Amino acid sequence: MSKAPSNHVARELALYLAAQTRAIDASAIASGVSGFTLMSRAARAVYEIVSESFESTLPLFMVCGGGNNGGDGLLVAWLAKNQGRGVQVCLSKSPEALTGDAARAHALCLEAGVEFVDLPDTPLDEDWLIVDALLGTGLNRDVQGDASRAIAWMNASAAPVLAVDMPSGLCSDTGRVLGEAVKADMTVTFIALKFGLFTCSGPDHVGFLHYSDLEVPDESFAAHSPVACRLDLEALLANVTPRAANSHKGLFGHVLVVGGDYGFGGAVAMAAEAALSCGAGLVSVATRTEHVSAVLARTPEVMVHAVTNRHELDNLLAGVSVVVIGPGLGQSPWSEQLLQVVLERDQPLVVDADALNILVTKQWLGSLAARTAPVVVTPHPGEAARMLGQTTAQVQGDRLAASQALQAIIDGVVVLKGAGSLVSSDRGVGLSDYGNAGMASGGMGDVLSGVLGALLAQIPDAVFATELGVCLHGDAADLAAAEFGLRGLRATQLMPYLQERLGG
Protein backbone atom coordinates (compact mmCIF):
# COMPACT_ATOMS: atom_id res chain seq x y z
CA MET A 1 0.00 0.00 0.00
CA SER A 2 2.89 2.34 0.69
CA LYS A 3 6.40 2.02 -0.59
CA ALA A 4 9.72 3.39 0.48
CA PRO A 5 11.31 5.96 -1.81
CA SER A 6 13.34 4.25 -4.51
CA ASN A 7 14.82 5.03 -7.86
CA HIS A 8 11.57 3.77 -9.43
CA VAL A 9 9.52 6.63 -7.95
CA ALA A 10 8.00 8.94 -10.55
CA ARG A 11 10.29 11.91 -11.15
CA GLU A 12 7.52 14.34 -10.11
CA LEU A 13 7.50 12.73 -6.65
CA ALA A 14 11.17 11.91 -6.06
CA LEU A 15 13.26 14.41 -4.08
CA TYR A 16 17.05 14.69 -4.28
CA LEU A 17 19.95 16.59 -2.77
CA ALA A 18 22.11 18.97 -4.79
CA ALA A 19 25.06 16.57 -5.02
CA GLN A 20 22.76 13.87 -6.39
CA THR A 21 21.35 16.26 -8.97
CA ARG A 22 24.85 17.19 -10.10
CA ALA A 23 25.74 13.50 -10.35
CA ILE A 24 22.63 12.83 -12.46
CA ASP A 25 23.59 15.78 -14.67
CA ALA A 26 27.14 14.43 -15.03
CA SER A 27 25.81 10.97 -15.86
CA ALA A 28 23.62 12.41 -18.60
CA ILE A 29 26.60 14.26 -20.07
CA ALA A 30 28.72 11.11 -19.89
CA SER A 31 25.98 9.26 -21.78
CA GLY A 32 26.30 11.66 -24.70
CA VAL A 33 24.01 14.59 -23.89
CA SER A 34 26.22 17.67 -23.98
CA GLY A 35 26.21 20.19 -21.16
CA PHE A 36 25.25 22.92 -23.58
CA THR A 37 22.29 20.86 -24.79
CA LEU A 38 21.05 20.57 -21.21
CA MET A 39 21.60 24.30 -20.71
CA SER A 40 19.64 25.02 -23.88
CA ARG A 41 16.78 22.79 -22.76
CA ALA A 42 16.71 24.55 -19.39
CA ALA A 43 16.57 27.95 -21.06
CA ARG A 44 13.75 26.82 -23.37
CA ALA A 45 11.79 25.46 -20.37
CA VAL A 46 12.12 28.82 -18.61
CA TYR A 47 11.23 30.86 -21.67
CA GLU A 48 8.17 28.71 -22.36
CA ILE A 49 6.91 29.43 -18.84
CA VAL A 50 7.65 33.13 -19.33
CA SER A 51 5.68 33.14 -22.59
CA GLU A 52 2.75 31.24 -21.09
CA SER A 53 2.53 33.17 -17.84
CA PHE A 54 3.40 36.80 -18.66
CA GLU A 55 2.39 39.33 -21.30
CA SER A 56 4.73 39.44 -24.30
CA THR A 57 5.16 43.19 -23.79
CA LEU A 58 6.73 42.66 -20.36
CA PRO A 59 10.50 43.05 -20.69
CA LEU A 60 12.93 40.78 -18.86
CA PHE A 61 15.59 41.90 -16.44
CA MET A 62 18.04 39.03 -16.01
CA VAL A 63 20.24 38.78 -12.92
CA CYS A 64 22.88 36.24 -13.92
CA GLY A 65 25.74 34.69 -11.98
CA GLY A 66 28.98 33.34 -13.36
CA GLY A 67 28.19 29.60 -13.21
CA ASN A 68 25.89 27.28 -15.10
CA ASN A 69 22.83 28.86 -13.48
CA GLY A 70 23.94 32.16 -14.95
CA GLY A 71 24.51 30.39 -18.26
CA ASP A 72 20.89 29.20 -18.20
CA GLY A 73 19.84 32.81 -17.66
CA LEU A 74 22.03 34.09 -20.48
CA LEU A 75 20.41 31.64 -22.89
CA VAL A 76 16.98 32.80 -21.71
CA ALA A 77 18.07 36.36 -22.55
CA TRP A 78 19.27 35.18 -25.98
CA LEU A 79 15.92 33.48 -26.66
CA ALA A 80 14.03 36.59 -25.55
CA LYS A 81 16.09 38.82 -27.83
CA ASN A 82 15.54 36.50 -30.79
CA GLN A 83 11.80 36.55 -30.10
CA GLY A 84 11.75 40.33 -30.12
CA ARG A 85 11.16 40.68 -26.40
CA GLY A 86 12.80 43.47 -24.44
CA VAL A 87 15.64 42.18 -22.27
CA GLN A 88 18.49 43.50 -20.15
CA VAL A 89 21.15 41.45 -18.38
CA CYS A 90 23.03 42.25 -15.20
CA LEU A 91 26.02 39.90 -15.04
CA SER A 92 27.58 39.44 -11.59
CA LYS A 93 30.96 38.37 -13.02
CA SER A 94 33.17 39.97 -15.62
CA PRO A 95 32.72 38.29 -19.02
CA GLU A 96 36.38 37.25 -18.95
CA ALA A 97 35.69 35.15 -15.83
CA LEU A 98 33.07 33.04 -17.60
CA THR A 99 34.10 29.58 -18.76
CA GLY A 100 32.66 26.62 -20.61
CA ASP A 101 28.99 26.63 -21.51
CA ALA A 102 28.33 29.91 -19.68
CA ALA A 103 30.98 31.65 -21.81
CA ARG A 104 29.39 30.19 -24.94
CA ALA A 105 25.99 31.48 -23.86
CA HIS A 106 27.48 34.94 -23.25
CA ALA A 107 29.00 34.96 -26.73
CA LEU A 108 25.58 34.18 -28.24
CA CYS A 109 24.08 37.10 -26.32
CA LEU A 110 26.76 39.46 -27.66
CA GLU A 111 26.12 38.29 -31.23
CA ALA A 112 22.38 38.87 -30.80
CA GLY A 113 22.88 42.37 -29.38
CA VAL A 114 21.61 41.68 -25.87
CA GLU A 115 22.06 44.74 -23.64
CA PHE A 116 24.27 44.28 -20.56
CA VAL A 117 23.72 46.74 -17.68
CA ASP A 118 24.69 47.29 -14.05
CA LEU A 119 22.24 46.56 -11.26
CA PRO A 120 19.99 49.64 -11.01
CA ASP A 121 20.20 51.82 -7.94
CA THR A 122 16.44 51.67 -7.43
CA PRO A 123 14.16 48.62 -7.55
CA LEU A 124 12.10 47.90 -10.65
CA ASP A 125 8.38 48.52 -10.89
CA GLU A 126 5.72 46.03 -11.98
CA ASP A 127 6.34 46.81 -15.66
CA TRP A 128 9.26 44.34 -15.69
CA LEU A 129 9.79 40.63 -15.08
CA ILE A 130 12.94 39.82 -13.10
CA VAL A 131 14.60 36.48 -13.80
CA ASP A 132 16.85 35.27 -10.98
CA ALA A 133 19.70 33.20 -12.41
CA LEU A 134 22.26 34.29 -9.87
CA LEU A 135 23.31 31.36 -7.66
CA GLY A 136 21.48 28.09 -8.39
CA THR A 137 21.98 24.92 -6.33
CA GLY A 138 25.65 25.08 -5.42
CA LEU A 139 25.33 27.48 -2.49
CA ASN A 140 26.44 26.10 0.89
CA ARG A 141 27.17 29.24 2.93
CA ASP A 142 25.50 32.57 3.65
CA VAL A 143 25.38 34.97 0.73
CA GLN A 144 27.47 38.10 1.06
CA GLY A 145 28.58 41.17 -0.82
CA ASP A 146 27.26 41.79 -4.32
CA ALA A 147 25.12 38.64 -4.28
CA SER A 148 23.39 39.73 -1.08
CA ARG A 149 22.83 43.20 -2.53
CA ALA A 150 21.34 41.75 -5.72
CA ILE A 151 18.97 39.50 -3.75
CA ALA A 152 17.83 42.40 -1.58
CA TRP A 153 17.26 44.48 -4.73
CA MET A 154 15.15 41.73 -6.35
CA ASN A 155 13.05 41.35 -3.20
CA ALA A 156 12.54 45.12 -2.98
CA SER A 157 11.29 45.36 -6.56
CA ALA A 158 7.58 45.45 -7.35
CA ALA A 159 8.26 43.39 -10.47
CA PRO A 160 7.38 39.67 -10.37
CA VAL A 161 10.38 37.38 -9.97
CA LEU A 162 10.96 34.04 -11.70
CA ALA A 163 13.77 31.93 -10.24
CA VAL A 164 15.88 29.63 -12.42
CA ASP A 165 16.31 26.19 -10.78
CA MET A 166 16.41 27.54 -7.18
CA PRO A 167 15.66 30.93 -5.65
CA SER A 168 19.09 32.40 -4.99
CA GLY A 169 20.09 32.13 -1.33
CA LEU A 170 17.84 29.14 -0.58
CA CYS A 171 19.67 25.94 0.37
CA SER A 172 18.57 23.25 -2.06
CA ASP A 173 19.24 20.47 0.48
CA THR A 174 17.43 21.87 3.52
CA GLY A 175 15.19 24.76 2.45
CA ARG A 176 17.12 26.99 4.85
CA VAL A 177 17.68 30.65 3.97
CA LEU A 178 21.41 31.23 3.70
CA GLY A 179 21.56 34.79 4.97
CA GLU A 180 19.13 36.21 2.43
CA ALA A 181 17.08 34.52 -0.30
CA VAL A 182 15.00 35.59 -3.26
CA LYS A 183 11.25 35.46 -2.70
CA ALA A 184 10.19 34.27 -6.13
CA ASP A 185 6.68 34.32 -7.56
CA MET A 186 7.58 31.35 -9.69
CA THR A 187 10.43 28.84 -9.90
CA VAL A 188 11.39 26.58 -12.79
CA THR A 189 13.57 23.73 -11.55
CA PHE A 190 15.48 21.21 -13.65
CA ILE A 191 16.58 17.58 -13.86
CA ALA A 192 15.46 16.53 -10.35
CA LEU A 193 13.23 18.06 -7.71
CA LYS A 194 15.35 19.37 -4.85
CA PHE A 195 14.35 18.52 -1.29
CA GLY A 196 14.78 22.11 -0.09
CA LEU A 197 12.09 23.40 -2.42
CA PHE A 198 9.42 21.73 -0.30
CA THR A 199 10.32 22.18 3.36
CA CYS A 200 11.49 24.69 5.96
CA SER A 201 11.56 28.12 4.24
CA GLY A 202 11.36 26.65 0.75
CA PRO A 203 7.60 27.08 0.27
CA ASP A 204 7.84 30.75 1.27
CA HIS A 205 10.44 31.47 -1.43
CA VAL A 206 9.62 29.17 -4.36
CA GLY A 207 6.21 30.51 -5.39
CA PHE A 208 4.48 28.47 -8.07
CA LEU A 209 6.77 25.57 -9.00
CA HIS A 210 7.38 24.20 -12.48
CA TYR A 211 9.55 21.16 -13.15
CA SER A 212 11.37 19.98 -16.26
CA ASP A 213 13.58 16.89 -16.26
CA LEU A 214 15.33 18.23 -19.41
CA GLU A 215 14.78 14.83 -21.06
CA VAL A 216 17.55 13.29 -19.00
CA PRO A 217 17.52 9.54 -19.72
CA ASP A 218 16.34 7.02 -17.14
CA GLU A 219 19.78 5.46 -16.93
CA SER A 220 21.17 8.67 -15.44
CA PHE A 221 18.77 8.39 -12.49
CA ALA A 222 19.28 4.65 -11.96
CA ALA A 223 22.20 4.86 -9.54
CA HIS A 224 20.67 7.58 -7.36
CA SER A 225 17.87 6.79 -4.94
CA PRO A 226 15.93 9.88 -3.82
CA VAL A 227 16.30 10.98 -0.21
CA ALA A 228 12.54 11.40 0.13
CA CYS A 229 9.33 11.02 -1.80
CA ARG A 230 6.51 13.51 -2.12
CA LEU A 231 3.30 11.92 -0.89
CA ASP A 232 0.29 11.81 -3.22
CA LEU A 233 -3.03 11.92 -1.37
CA GLU A 234 -5.08 10.69 -4.32
CA ALA A 235 -2.83 7.65 -4.70
CA LEU A 236 -3.07 6.97 -0.97
CA LEU A 237 -6.86 7.29 -0.97
CA ALA A 238 -7.07 4.89 -3.88
CA ASN A 239 -5.57 2.22 -1.62
CA VAL A 240 -8.15 2.65 1.13
CA THR A 241 -10.49 -0.35 1.15
CA PRO A 242 -14.16 0.65 0.73
CA ARG A 243 -16.51 -0.39 3.52
CA ALA A 244 -18.70 -3.41 2.96
CA ALA A 245 -22.46 -3.10 3.26
CA ASN A 246 -22.53 -5.43 6.28
CA SER A 247 -19.93 -3.49 8.25
CA HIS A 248 -20.26 -2.89 11.97
CA LYS A 249 -18.43 -0.64 14.41
CA GLY A 250 -16.32 -3.47 15.77
CA LEU A 251 -14.48 -3.71 12.46
CA PHE A 252 -13.05 -0.20 12.62
CA GLY A 253 -11.23 -0.12 15.91
CA HIS A 254 -11.52 1.55 19.29
CA VAL A 255 -9.44 4.68 19.85
CA LEU A 256 -8.72 5.90 23.35
CA VAL A 257 -7.57 9.53 23.67
CA VAL A 258 -5.69 10.21 26.92
CA GLY A 259 -5.09 13.77 28.09
CA GLY A 260 -6.82 16.98 29.03
CA ASP A 261 -5.22 18.15 32.25
CA TYR A 262 -6.69 21.20 33.97
CA GLY A 263 -7.38 23.91 31.40
CA PHE A 264 -6.73 21.70 28.38
CA GLY A 265 -9.99 19.81 27.95
CA GLY A 266 -10.47 21.15 24.42
CA ALA A 267 -7.44 19.25 23.19
CA VAL A 268 -8.87 15.80 23.93
CA ALA A 269 -12.27 16.92 22.63
CA MET A 270 -10.78 17.88 19.26
CA ALA A 271 -8.66 14.74 19.00
CA ALA A 272 -11.69 12.57 19.75
CA GLU A 273 -13.88 14.41 17.27
CA ALA A 274 -11.20 14.04 14.58
CA ALA A 275 -11.00 10.30 15.27
CA LEU A 276 -14.77 10.03 14.79
CA SER A 277 -14.60 12.10 11.60
CA CYS A 278 -12.02 9.68 10.19
CA GLY A 279 -14.06 6.57 10.79
CA ALA A 280 -12.99 4.97 14.06
CA GLY A 281 -15.67 2.52 15.15
CA LEU A 282 -15.50 3.60 18.79
CA VAL A 283 -13.80 6.57 20.45
CA SER A 284 -13.20 6.98 24.16
CA VAL A 285 -11.58 9.77 26.17
CA ALA A 286 -9.76 9.49 29.49
CA THR A 287 -9.48 12.93 31.07
CA ARG A 288 -9.91 15.03 34.19
CA THR A 289 -13.32 14.86 35.86
CA GLU A 290 -13.83 18.57 35.18
CA HIS A 291 -13.86 18.04 31.39
CA VAL A 292 -16.26 15.11 31.12
CA SER A 293 -19.47 17.07 30.67
CA ALA A 294 -17.95 19.51 28.17
CA VAL A 295 -16.60 16.74 25.92
CA LEU A 296 -19.92 14.87 26.07
CA ALA A 297 -21.85 18.03 25.27
CA ARG A 298 -19.74 18.70 22.20
CA THR A 299 -19.51 15.13 20.91
CA PRO A 300 -22.08 12.77 22.46
CA GLU A 301 -20.81 9.89 20.31
CA VAL A 302 -17.64 9.78 22.43
CA MET A 303 -17.43 7.70 25.62
CA VAL A 304 -15.85 9.98 28.21
CA HIS A 305 -14.25 8.70 31.40
CA ALA A 306 -13.00 10.61 34.42
CA VAL A 307 -9.58 9.31 35.38
CA THR A 308 -8.04 10.28 38.70
CA ASN A 309 -5.36 7.59 39.04
CA ARG A 310 -3.37 5.01 37.10
CA HIS A 311 -5.64 2.09 38.04
CA GLU A 312 -8.70 3.68 36.46
CA LEU A 313 -6.82 4.19 33.22
CA ASP A 314 -5.41 0.67 33.29
CA ASN A 315 -8.95 -0.72 33.30
CA LEU A 316 -9.87 1.37 30.26
CA LEU A 317 -6.93 0.12 28.19
CA ALA A 318 -8.24 -3.41 27.87
CA GLY A 319 -9.73 -4.00 24.45
CA VAL A 320 -8.58 -0.66 23.01
CA SER A 321 -7.15 -0.79 19.46
CA VAL A 322 -5.06 2.39 19.55
CA VAL A 323 -4.07 4.83 22.29
CA VAL A 324 -3.56 8.51 21.48
CA ILE A 325 -1.75 10.19 24.35
CA GLY A 326 -0.60 13.79 24.62
CA PRO A 327 -3.37 16.19 23.62
CA GLY A 328 -3.64 18.59 26.55
CA LEU A 329 -1.85 16.07 28.77
CA GLY A 330 0.22 18.62 30.66
CA GLN A 331 3.29 17.68 32.67
CA SER A 332 1.85 17.22 36.15
CA PRO A 333 2.25 14.09 38.32
CA TRP A 334 -1.19 13.03 37.01
CA SER A 335 0.12 13.37 33.45
CA GLU A 336 3.22 11.32 34.19
CA GLN A 337 1.18 8.55 35.81
CA LEU A 338 -1.10 8.23 32.79
CA LEU A 339 1.80 8.08 30.36
CA GLN A 340 3.58 5.50 32.48
CA VAL A 341 0.49 3.25 32.48
CA VAL A 342 0.14 3.55 28.71
CA LEU A 343 3.81 2.68 28.18
CA GLU A 344 3.41 -0.47 30.26
CA ARG A 345 0.99 -1.87 27.66
CA ASP A 346 2.23 -2.83 24.21
CA GLN A 347 -0.59 -1.34 22.15
CA PRO A 348 -0.48 0.76 18.95
CA LEU A 349 0.36 4.24 20.10
CA VAL A 350 0.24 7.83 18.87
CA VAL A 351 2.36 10.13 21.05
CA ASP A 352 2.03 13.90 20.81
CA ALA A 353 2.55 17.19 22.63
CA ASP A 354 3.34 17.00 26.35
CA ALA A 355 3.62 13.21 26.24
CA LEU A 356 6.76 13.79 24.16
CA ASN A 357 8.08 16.32 26.65
CA ILE A 358 7.53 13.91 29.56
CA LEU A 359 9.33 11.17 27.65
CA VAL A 360 12.34 13.46 27.48
CA THR A 361 12.28 14.78 31.05
CA LYS A 362 11.74 11.32 32.56
CA GLN A 363 14.24 9.74 30.16
CA TRP A 364 11.62 7.30 28.90
CA LEU A 365 12.18 8.01 25.21
CA GLY A 366 14.23 4.86 24.67
CA SER A 367 11.36 2.68 25.85
CA LEU A 368 9.48 3.33 22.61
CA ALA A 369 12.02 1.33 20.61
CA ALA A 370 11.38 -1.75 22.77
CA ARG A 371 7.71 -1.91 21.81
CA THR A 372 6.49 -4.43 19.25
CA ALA A 373 3.22 -2.61 18.47
CA PRO A 374 3.38 0.37 16.09
CA VAL A 375 4.45 3.73 17.53
CA VAL A 376 3.87 7.08 15.84
CA VAL A 377 5.31 10.27 17.33
CA THR A 378 4.26 13.69 16.04
CA PRO A 379 6.64 16.41 17.26
CA HIS A 380 6.72 19.97 16.06
CA PRO A 381 10.27 21.37 15.64
CA GLY A 382 10.51 22.55 19.25
CA GLU A 383 9.51 19.15 20.63
CA ALA A 384 11.83 17.41 18.17
CA ALA A 385 14.68 19.62 19.39
CA ARG A 386 14.09 18.57 22.99
CA MET A 387 13.95 14.92 21.95
CA LEU A 388 17.29 15.24 20.13
CA GLY A 389 19.02 17.52 22.63
CA GLN A 390 19.29 20.23 19.97
CA THR A 391 17.94 23.71 19.38
CA THR A 392 14.87 24.36 17.29
CA ALA A 393 17.07 26.21 14.80
CA GLN A 394 19.24 23.11 14.40
CA VAL A 395 16.19 20.95 13.69
CA GLN A 396 14.83 23.43 11.17
CA GLY A 397 18.28 23.82 9.66
CA ASP A 398 18.19 20.17 8.53
CA ARG A 399 14.72 18.72 8.91
CA LEU A 400 15.58 15.61 6.95
CA ALA A 401 18.47 14.70 9.25
CA ALA A 402 16.40 15.49 12.34
CA SER A 403 13.50 13.28 11.30
CA GLN A 404 15.84 10.42 10.44
CA ALA A 405 17.66 10.76 13.77
CA LEU A 406 14.38 10.62 15.67
CA GLN A 407 13.27 7.58 13.72
CA ALA A 408 16.48 5.80 14.65
CA ILE A 409 15.82 6.55 18.34
CA ILE A 410 12.21 5.34 18.52
CA ASP A 411 12.34 2.69 15.78
CA GLY A 412 8.81 3.68 14.79
CA VAL A 413 7.17 6.31 12.59
CA VAL A 414 8.08 9.98 13.06
CA VAL A 415 5.98 12.88 11.84
CA LEU A 416 8.09 16.04 11.95
CA LYS A 417 5.43 18.71 11.57
CA GLY A 418 5.88 22.02 9.79
CA ALA A 419 6.01 23.30 6.23
CA GLY A 420 6.71 20.15 4.26
CA SER A 421 5.83 17.72 7.07
CA LEU A 422 8.04 14.63 7.02
CA VAL A 423 6.98 11.04 7.68
CA SER A 424 10.10 9.01 8.49
CA SER A 425 10.06 5.25 8.96
CA ASP A 426 12.20 2.22 8.25
CA ARG A 427 10.82 2.46 4.70
CA GLY A 428 12.25 5.89 4.04
CA VAL A 429 10.99 9.48 4.20
CA GLY A 430 7.77 10.82 2.77
CA LEU A 431 7.06 14.54 2.46
CA SER A 432 3.59 16.06 2.55
CA ASP A 433 3.29 19.39 0.80
CA TYR A 434 -0.39 19.70 1.69
CA GLY A 435 -1.39 22.32 4.23
CA ASN A 436 -0.98 26.05 4.70
CA ALA A 437 -0.01 28.85 7.07
CA GLY A 438 -3.51 28.92 8.54
CA MET A 439 -2.57 25.75 10.41
CA ALA A 440 -0.38 27.84 12.71
CA SER A 441 -3.10 27.89 15.37
CA GLY A 442 -3.93 25.97 18.51
CA GLY A 443 -5.54 22.58 18.18
CA MET A 444 -4.25 21.59 14.75
CA GLY A 445 -1.84 19.05 16.26
CA ASP A 446 -4.60 17.61 18.44
CA VAL A 447 -6.74 17.06 15.35
CA LEU A 448 -3.83 15.33 13.60
CA SER A 449 -3.37 13.00 16.56
CA GLY A 450 -7.01 11.99 16.36
CA VAL A 451 -6.79 11.46 12.62
CA LEU A 452 -3.76 9.22 13.02
CA GLY A 453 -5.36 7.27 15.85
CA ALA A 454 -8.45 6.55 13.76
CA LEU A 455 -6.47 5.44 10.72
CA LEU A 456 -4.15 3.22 12.77
CA ALA A 457 -7.27 1.59 14.23
CA GLN A 458 -8.52 0.76 10.72
CA ILE A 459 -5.34 0.15 8.72
CA PRO A 460 -2.77 -2.45 9.83
CA ASP A 461 0.09 -0.78 7.92
CA ALA A 462 1.24 1.96 10.30
CA VAL A 463 3.41 3.74 7.72
CA PHE A 464 0.61 3.88 5.17
CA ALA A 465 -1.88 5.01 7.80
CA THR A 466 0.46 7.80 8.93
CA GLU A 467 1.25 9.00 5.42
CA LEU A 468 -2.46 9.06 4.62
CA GLY A 469 -3.31 10.86 7.85
CA VAL A 470 -0.70 13.58 7.46
CA CYS A 471 -1.76 14.30 3.85
CA LEU A 472 -5.45 14.13 4.70
CA HIS A 473 -4.98 16.59 7.57
CA GLY A 474 -3.12 19.08 5.36
CA ASP A 475 -5.59 18.74 2.51
CA ALA A 476 -8.54 19.31 4.84
CA ALA A 477 -6.83 22.48 6.03
CA ASP A 478 -6.40 23.61 2.42
CA LEU A 479 -10.10 23.04 1.74
CA ALA A 480 -11.09 24.83 4.94
CA ALA A 481 -8.79 27.76 4.15
CA ALA A 482 -10.33 28.09 0.69
CA GLU A 483 -13.69 28.67 2.39
CA PHE A 484 -12.74 30.54 5.56
CA GLY A 485 -9.34 32.09 4.77
CA LEU A 486 -5.93 31.55 6.35
CA ARG A 487 -6.07 34.06 9.15
CA GLY A 488 -8.22 32.81 12.00
CA LEU A 489 -8.57 29.27 10.63
CA ARG A 490 -9.72 27.02 13.49
CA ALA A 491 -8.81 23.39 13.96
CA THR A 492 -12.45 22.36 14.35
CA GLN A 493 -13.20 23.74 10.87
CA LEU A 494 -11.25 20.81 9.41
CA MET A 495 -13.70 18.13 10.63
CA PRO A 496 -16.20 18.05 7.75
CA TYR A 497 -13.42 18.07 5.18
CA LEU A 498 -11.66 15.14 6.83
CA GLN A 499 -14.83 13.08 6.57
CA GLU A 500 -15.56 14.26 3.03
CA ARG A 501 -12.09 13.45 1.65
CA LEU A 502 -11.86 10.06 3.34
CA GLY A 503 -15.25 9.12 1.95
CA GLY A 504 -16.63 5.59 2.13
Side-chain angles (χ1 to χ4, degrees):
M1 297 172 84
S2 175
K3 298 179 179 178
S6 72
N7 52 4
H8 300 297
V9 172
R11 295 184 187 182
E12 294 78 11
L13 300 178
L15 302 179
Y16 295 86
L17 301 180
Q20 292 177 297
T21 306
R22 288 192 292 271
I24 294 167
D25 181 289
S27 176
I29 292 172
S31 72
V33 183
S34 75
F36 193 77
T37 296
L38 291 173
M39 187 175 283
S40 299
R41 291 174 183 173
R44 281 200 301 273
V46 171
Y47 195 72
E48 285 174 7
I49 296 300
V50 169
S51 300
E52 292 168 5
S53 305
F54 300 96
E55 294 292 335
S56 60
T57 55
L58 201 65
L60 306 185
F61 190 91
M62 315 292 304
V63 181
C64 296
N68 283 341
N69 190 246
D72 296 338
L74 288 168
L75 284 185
V76 172
W78 176 73
L79 287 170
K81 183 68 174 179
N82 286 340
Q83 294 295 319
R85 192 175 195 124
V87 59
Q88 292 182 349
V89 177
C90 172
L91 189 60
S92 69
K93 299 285 186 182
S94 66
E96 294 77 17
L98 299 178
T99 60
D101 295 328
R104 183 176 174 184
H106 179 260
L108 287 173
C109 286
L110 291 178
E111 290 175 11
V114 171
E115 182 182 4
F116 286 82
V117 298
D118 293 330
L119 193 72
D121 292 329
T122 57
L124 293 182
D125 60 26
E126 64 274 8
D127 294 328
W128 288 82
L129 169 61
I130 297 172
V131 178
D132 164 31
L134 184 62
L135 297 175
T137 63
L139 191 66
N140 55 15
R141 62 181 185 277
D142 285 1
V143 293
Q144 298 176 344
D146 290 344
S148 179
R149 185 170 72 90
I151 291 171
W153 177 86
M154 285 187 269
N155 287 338
S157 293
V161 180
L162 183 149
V164 176
D165 207 14
M166 286 290 297
S168 292
L170 186 70
C171 178
S172 56
D173 287 350
T174 66
R176 184 167 62 91
V177 172
L178 298 172
E180 192 158 15
V182 165
K183 278 206 163 189
D185 298 280
M186 193 174 290
T187 299
V188 186
T189 199
F190 313 125
I191 300 182
L193 290 173
K194 291 80 180 172
F195 182 81
L197 292 167
F198 295 92
T199 195
C200 195
S201 298
D204 283 323
H205 290 262
V206 169
F208 193 83
L209 181 65
H210 298 271
Y211 166 57
S212 173
D213 64 9
L214 305 188
E215 303 172 44
V216 169
D218 290 339
E219 309 83 70
S220 297
F221 283 85
H224 307 282
S225 294
V227 294
C229 174
R230 290 171 69 194
L231 298 173
D232 181 347
L233 178 58
E234 298 305 327
L236 292 165
L237 288 170
N239 282 297
V240 176
T241 304
R243 292 194 168 184
N246 65 344
S247 296
H248 59 84
K249 62 188 177 186
L251 296 175
F252 306 115
H254 184 175
V255 176
L256 173 63
V257 181
V258 181
D261 203 350
Y262 296 124
F264 300 110
V268 285
M270 288 184 284
E273 187 176 351
L276 284 173
S277 298
C278 291
L282 293 168
V283 179
S284 294
V285 167
T287 188
R288 288 283 192 180
T289 304
E290 287 77 4
H291 302 316
V292 171
S293 58
V295 176
L296 279 174
R298 178 172 179 86
T299 318
E301 299 90 345
V302 174
M303 297 172 283
V304 191
H305 306 273
V307 174
T308 59
N309 58 61
R310 57 176 290 130
H311 304 293
E312 291 171 344
L313 178 59
D314 196 46
N315 293 333
L316 293 175
L317 289 169
V320 169
S321 306
V322 177
V323 179
V324 175
I325 185 163
L329 183 65
Q331 298 186 55
S332 68
W334 176 84
S335 316
E336 294 176 4
Q337 276 191 60
L338 300 194
L339 178 57
Q340 189 173 31
V341 173
V342 168
L343 292 175
E344 288 169 359
R345 295 228 183 188
D346 197 7
Q347 292 168 291
L349 191 58
V350 178
V351 190
D352 185 35
D354 271 330
L356 297 172
N357 293 323
I358 295 172
L359 286 172
V360 174
T361 58
K362 302 297 287 187
Q363 299 183 347
W364 293 343
L365 193 57
S367 68
L368 297 182
R371 301 172 68 87
T372 58
V375 177
V376 180
V377 300
T378 61
H380 58 55
E383 291 159 348
R386 288 189 283 275
M387 294 167 75
L388 291 170
Q390 298 180 356
T391 65
T392 302
Q394 286 173 315
V395 169
Q396 289 292 80
D398 195 339
R399 287 171 53 81
L400 178 63
S403 69
Q404 291 172 321
L406 281 174
Q407 197 281 324
I409 291 171
I410 71 159
D411 193 26
V413 185
V414 174
V415 179
L416 180 56
K417 295 183 288 194
S421 289
L422 303 179
V423 180
S424 296
S425 70
D426 58 5
R427 302 216 298 256
V429 180
L431 181 146
S432 170
D433 50 4
Y434 301 92
N436 56 72
M439 299 174 77
S441 64
M444 288 291 178
D446 303 315
V447 170
L448 176 61
S449 293
V451 170
L452 295 177
L455 295 178
L456 281 172
Q458 299 169 74
I459 299 170
D461 185 334
V463 178
F464 173 75
T466 305
E467 291 175 344
L468 173 62
V470 171
C471 293
L472 183 68
H473 181 246
D475 185 63
D478 288 338
L479 294 170
E483 180 172 353
F484 300 108
L486 293 177
R487 200 177 299 273
L489 188 67
R490 291 182 286 120
T492 51
Q493 291 174 320
L494 273 58
M495 303 300 180
Y497 300 104
L498 292 169
Q499 184 178 8
E500 176 188 331
R501 291 296 278 131
L502 201 52

